[in-house]
């Protein structure tokens, strides 16, 4: 993992000192709320329904055990004992006191964490493939490039006041586990026949009121020019993005209105004039960053573990966990272990301080001191020996972290919604809880197979509802919580936006409607089809018919 | 009928104006029948920048057993999140919590008075 | 004479604004003047080449590239921040400094606040008309708060990667 050096640490220390002073000025009344609000937002501190919320960045979702322990400690000391992992692989603490915020930032800085650029119209926290460094299907480690962008974008003087927020995702694998097509910039690494690395650059994806999937604006960008090309993209956007209408200010609108080809032409023209050597990282710095991600701790192990095979044969619960939550690793004898934050009836993405500590201990003992956050609001232990899986499972299960439901119907994404969020129209969490309870039987969930439900409490789409196989959007209908269903979305390589099923449903109709939709799918599906395949073949009609059938 | 609410600056806690002090319980709210009086109280609260963030008026309505905010959002602010019944004001329990949690009525999920005008 | 804050050699100090601002519909007086881009383009011939100090004030949508041939004749370019959240002038400033080689005074006008000191200076501004009653001592303190930067911009500060390179060269 990347390790902060003296320079990185001093940047954080300077920032913490600055924010402490700003907080003091606000608390003493020397500053008004209007003056203070943009400053606290730049440090990730929002005022939500019940209290302040602090959003801590977890760059490209990578954590070590010391960092997880500090997050747990913050949850316990300054909050009410839990935190919420988000689709942006950040963690949010919901019950923060302003007067504690400088101390929290100081604690975070001690382990190289911060809340910088987790709000505001700037370049936000990066996301990357959570399987980075562990999966066989990647051509390079995307975290190297994500870290390069993280540093370059931190306090970028030209791009701190963009027309709107700006989010970047990076992957190096064939399978898209970072939802790159719904990002402002989505980067996919390629390795060409001659071994040269390049990026496929997509620009202009995003959800919200006007959802777009991003088009490619450059097929092959030599990796060494990543930062100068990013500067060119951002400069075209900063100069020409709309600032007159907040709903049209994201880069997706600029790209859509110019057309991808014209936008690409403007970027290329800007890039042509850029002094690339001044902006791009020198090979020495890239090598330094690359070295911090090099994994050396792997043992040479047989590809088949007799311990693992025997445990699967003996223990059905473990076998189910292995089927659903354990994924293949590039290193023989190792596996990736998904830690489900979707226990039936619990809040999706929430983890208690104790749970964070359990994962920290497991990361330290069994996963080369690494854990990851996925955009699907789960955690992941990336480097576990097959021999250790039974023990890891036992510890996770005891902590309520081993629900065997990764990518299944109860692995639901839900934003905080009206239970916490000041912008919400409706609650998202209770809807997720209702649905999950209906599919609590793991055998039933497995029979239904891969089915991704994503719930947002308002059109801002933090819960990615547009790209859920089933998307659920909270709306306000004459003052009551209603929910609009969409079917057929996907955030992966086959990215698609969902189709509206019909008029919004009252809260107590949502979970029954999901039941009906699943029944139709089970009836209609052909051999081997996932829900999304059946939907793509059969279309909306059979689902619509059942959900909106007149009541008997 | 209206009540006056805000978040406390130092800790973000939701508070309600009693006519005298700021209370953490909705049930202590001073209820304004008179709009001018309510707006005067709001203006006065807005000048209190050391203690408060963003004071605003909310619509409240009489129901069986007492008075509750009209909007669902404001009821949640007065209670706490529904996914964690042991967090927030609802954890204290009591008759006022029960009333807020169960009251029927014309709940609007956007709670602020004159939301459109405020924007 | 109106005052502004000038940034020189790592410190801010009060300075005098020697230019007279001229409205677009006013006749241009003799002497040192600050005019809009539109007025400048209209009266270019009579404004230039009279041995006076000339400044052009640009709005957020004006393109700095449109000044390219005239830049050597200008002593001030003022860029407007309609709101502090409107960051277009940062790009314009970098283009003026780094691409078009403008050496004169680059002045920030409009909703210019103390908390913008770092990005302003990093993007090449060296004069500010603050809208928040801030004073030079505050600008000096706030602009020098961060010991390191992560990227090159118009201020010539070495980014972290260059510092690291030098450090490792020394250590070896
Ligand atoms: S989608 Fe809406 S309700 Fe949900 S977290 Fe985002 S802004 Fe809040």
């Amino acid at each position: 993992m990347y390790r902060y050096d003296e320079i990185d640490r001093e940047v954080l220390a300077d920032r913490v000192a600055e924010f402490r002073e700003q907080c003091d000025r606000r608390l003493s009344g020397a500053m008004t709320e209007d003056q203070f609000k943009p400053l606290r937002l730049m440090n990730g501190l929002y005022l939500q329904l019940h209290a302040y919320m602090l959003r801590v960045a977890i760059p490209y979702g990578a954590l070590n055990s010391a960092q997880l322990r500090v997050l747990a400690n913050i949850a316990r000391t300054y909050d009410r004992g839990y935190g919420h992992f988000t689709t942006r692989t950040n963690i949010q603490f919901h019950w923060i006191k302003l007067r504690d915020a400088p101390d929290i930032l100081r604690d975070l800085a001690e382990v190289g964490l911060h809340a910088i650029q987790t709000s505001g119209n700037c370049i936000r926290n990066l996301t990357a493939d959570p399987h980075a460094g562990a999966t066989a299907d990647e051509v390079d480690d995307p975290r190297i490039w994500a870290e390069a962008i993280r540093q370059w974008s931190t306090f970028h003087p030209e791009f701190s006041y963009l027309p709107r927020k700006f989010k970047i995702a990076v992957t190096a694998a064939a399978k898209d586990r970072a939802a790159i097509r719904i990002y402002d910039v989505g980067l996919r690494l390629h390795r060409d026949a001659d071994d040269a690395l390049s990026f496929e650059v997509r620009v202009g994806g995003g959800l919200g009121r006007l959802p777009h999937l991003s088009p490619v604006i450059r097929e092959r960008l030599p990796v060494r020019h990543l930062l100068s090309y990013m500067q060119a993209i951002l400069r075209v956007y900063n100069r020409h993005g709309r600032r007159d209408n907040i709903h049209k200010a994201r880069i997706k609108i600029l790209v859509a209105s110019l057309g991808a080809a014209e936008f690409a032409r403007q970027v290329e023209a800007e890039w042509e004039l850029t002094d690339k050597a001044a902006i791009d990282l020198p090979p020495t710095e890239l090598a330094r960053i690359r070295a911090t991600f090099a994994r050396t701790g792997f043992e040479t192990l047989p590809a088949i573990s007799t311990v693992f095979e025997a445990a699967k044969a003996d223990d059905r619960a473990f076998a189910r966990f292995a089927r659903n939550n354990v994924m293949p690793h590039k290193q023989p004898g190792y596996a990736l272990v998904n830690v489900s934050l979707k226990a039936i009836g619990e809040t999706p993405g929430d983890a208690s301080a104790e749970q964070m500590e359990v994962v920290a201990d497991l990361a330290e003992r069994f996963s080369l001191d690494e854990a990851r956050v996925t955009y699907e609001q789960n955690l992941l232990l990336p480097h576990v020996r097959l021999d250790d899986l039974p023990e890891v499972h036992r510890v996770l299960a005891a902590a309520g972290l081993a629900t065997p439901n990764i990518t299944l119907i109860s692995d639901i994404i839900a934003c905080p919604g009206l239970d916490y969020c000041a912008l919400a129209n409706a609650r998202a969490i209770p809807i997720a809880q209702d649905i999950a309870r209906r599919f609590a039987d793991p055998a039933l969930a497995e029979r239904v197979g891969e089915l991704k439900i994503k719930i947002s409490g308002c059109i801002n789409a933090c819960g990615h509802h547009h790209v859920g196989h089933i998307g659920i959007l909270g709306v306000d209908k004459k003052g009551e919580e209603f929910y609009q269903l969409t079917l057929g979305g996907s955030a992966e390589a086959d990215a698609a936006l969902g189709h509206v099923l019909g008029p919004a449903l009252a809260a107590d109709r949502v979970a029954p409607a999901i039941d009906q939709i699943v029944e139709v799918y089970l009836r209609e599906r052909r051999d081997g089809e996932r829900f999304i395949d059946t939907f793509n073949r059969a279309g909306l009609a059979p689902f619509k018919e059942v959900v909106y059938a007149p009541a008997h | 009928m209206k009540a006056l609410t805000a978040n406390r600056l130092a800790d973000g806690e939701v508070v309600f104006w009693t006519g005298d002090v700021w209370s953490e319980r909705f049930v202590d709210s001073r209820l304004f029948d008179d709009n001018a009086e309510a707006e005067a109280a709001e203006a006065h609260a807005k000048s209190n920048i050391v203690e408060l963030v963003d004071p605003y008026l909310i619509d409240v309505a009489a129901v069986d057993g007492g008075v509750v905010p009209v909007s669902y959002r404001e009821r949640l602010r007065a209670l706490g999140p529904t996914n964690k019944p042991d967090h927030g004001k609802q954890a204290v329990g009591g008759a006022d919590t029960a009333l807020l949690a169960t009251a029927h009525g014309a709940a609007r999920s956007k709670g602020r008075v004159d939301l459109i005008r405020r924007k | 004479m109106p005052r502004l804050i000038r940034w020189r050699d790592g410190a801010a100090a009060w300075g005098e604004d020697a230019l007279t601002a001229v409205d677009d519909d006013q006749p241009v007086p003799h002497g040192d003047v600050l005019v809009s881009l539109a007025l400048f383009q209209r009266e270019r011939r009579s404004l230039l080449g009279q041995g006076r100090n000339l400044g052009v004030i640009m709005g957020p949508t004006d393109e700095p590239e449109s000044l390219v041939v005239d830049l050597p004749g200008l002593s001030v370019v003022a860029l407007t921040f309609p709101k502090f959240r409107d960051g277009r002038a940062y790009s314009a400033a970098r283009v003026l400094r780094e691409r078009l080689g403008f050496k004169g005074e680059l002045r920030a006008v409009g909703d210019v606040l103390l908390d913008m000191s770092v990005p302003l200076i990093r993007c090449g501004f060296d004069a500010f008309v603050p809208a928040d009653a801030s004073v030079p001592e505050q600008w000096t303190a706030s602009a020098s708060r961060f010991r390191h930067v992560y990227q090159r911009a118009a201020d010539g500060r070495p980014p972290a990667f260059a510092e690291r390179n030098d450090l490792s060269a020394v250590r070896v």
Side-chain angles (χ1 to χ4, degrees), chain B:
Chain B
M1 223 180 341
K2 300 200 188 317
L4 179 59
T5 183
N7 289 77
R8 207 152 55 198
L9 172 68
D11 60 3
E13 182 74 35
V14 174
V15 288
F16 301 92
W17 179 241
T18 68
D20 240 346
V21 291
W22 290 92
S23 164
E24 297 184 10
R25 311 293 301 173
F26 171 76
V27 69
D28 300 334
S29 293
R30 156 101 201 261
L31 304 174
F32 296 95
D33 284 315
D34 180 276
N35 274 352
E37 249 179 85
E39 278 160 27
E42 184 190 25
H44 183 252
K46 278 187 191 299
S47 67
N48 182 359
I49 66 156
V50 223
E51 236 184 318
L52 301 175
V53 183
D54 198 19
Y56 60 95
L57 294 167
I58 56 174
D59 282 324
V60 298
V63 293
D64 271 357
V67 169
V68 295
V70 169
S71 84
Y72 198 69
R73 177 189 197 272
E74 290 305 326
R75 288 184 196 176
L76 283 183
R77 280 182 80 243
L79 282 167
T82 58
N83 66 324
K84 305 260 182 193
D86 51 337
H87 290 172
K89 303 172 188 303
Q90 60 197 349
V92 177
D96 57 330
T97 296
L99 180 66
L100 282 162
T102 55
H104 291 282
R108 283 184 294 121
S109 59
K110 287 275 195 316
R112 295 183 165 210
V113 174
D114 301 333
L115 183 86
I116 311 254
R117 200 184 71 206
R118 292 174 58 96
K119 279 182 175 166

Side-chain angles (χ1 to χ4, degrees), chain A residues 26-29 31-33 36 40 47-52 80 82 95-100 346-347 350 418-427 429-430 433 475-476 478-481, chain B residues 6-14 48-54 56 70-84 86-91 105-111:
Chain A
R26 176 65 186 104
L27 286 166
S28 72
M31 224 193 286
T32 65
E33 186 61 19
F36 181 61
R40 71 164 153 77
L47 186 59
Q48 294 284 50
L49 285 191
H50 311 293
Y52 292 96
R80 305 213 169 160
Y82 68 112
W95 299 93
I96 296 300
K97 299 178 170 59
L98 175 61
R99 57 169 184 265
D100 292 336
E346 296 296 327
T347 302
D350 274 15
L418 191 57
D419 281 308
Y420 297 91
C421 178
L423 303 172
N425 282 326
R427 288 173 299 162
I429 296 165
Q433 291 170 320
V475 294
D476 175 351
K478 298 202 189 96
E480 277 181 76
E481 295 175 298
Chain B
N7 289 77
R8 207 152 55 198
L9 172 68
D11 60 3
E13 182 74 35
V14 174
N48 182 359
I49 66 156
V50 223
E51 236 184 318
L52 301 175
V53 183
D54 198 19
Y56 60 95
V70 169
S71 84
Y72 198 69
R73 177 189 197 272
E74 290 305 326
R75 288 184 196 176
L76 283 183
R77 280 182 80 243
L79 282 167
T82 58
N83 66 324
K84 305 260 182 193
D86 51 337
H87 290 172
K89 303 172 188 303
Q90 60 197 349
R108 283 184 294 121
S109 59
K110 287 275 195 316

Side-chain angles (χ1 to χ4, degrees), chain C residues 22-140:
Chain C
V22 182
D23 281 350
D24 279 11
D25 47 8
Q26 267 181 331
V28 179
H30 292 291
D32 302 340
V33 291
L34 180 67
V35 300
S36 73
L37 180 66
L39 180 56
F40 173 75
Q41 284 168 336
R42 206 164 65 222
E43 314 246 337
R44 189 171 160 276
R45 278 165 189 284
S46 61
L47 283 165
L48 285 167
Q50 297 204 11
R52 60 169 145 201
N53 284 318
L54 183 59
V56 170
I57 182 163
M58 309 240 273
T61 56
D62 292 337
E63 307 258 318
E65 287 86 350
S66 62
L67 283 175
V68 60
V69 290
D70 298 317
L71 276 179
L74 300 180
S75 48
V76 173
V77 174
L79 299 174
T80 312
F81 289 82
K83 289 194 191 113
F84 81 89
R85 284 190 202 84
D86 185 332
R88 281 174 282 193
Y90 297 115
S91 287
R94 285 194 68 189
V95 168
L96 280 163
R97 286 289 193 222
E98 296 171 68
R99 186 164 298 164
L100 307 179
F102 179 59
K103 296 280 187 311
E105 176 181 306
L106 195 51
R107 187 185 290 183
V109 299
D111 194 19
V112 175
L113 309 178
L114 174 63
D115 292 300
M116 299 155 63
S117 62
V118 173
L120 284 172
I121 290 165
R122 296 223 59 216
C123 289
F125 288 95
D126 56 2
F128 326 103
V129 182
D132 59 357
S134 50
V135 297
E137 296 69 51
Q138 291 173 299
W139 280 73
T140 305

Side-chain angles (χ1 to χ4, degrees), chain A residues 415-417 421 423-424 456-458 460-462:
Chain A
C415 78
C421 178
L423 303 172
S456 305
C458 80
N460 286 338
C462 303

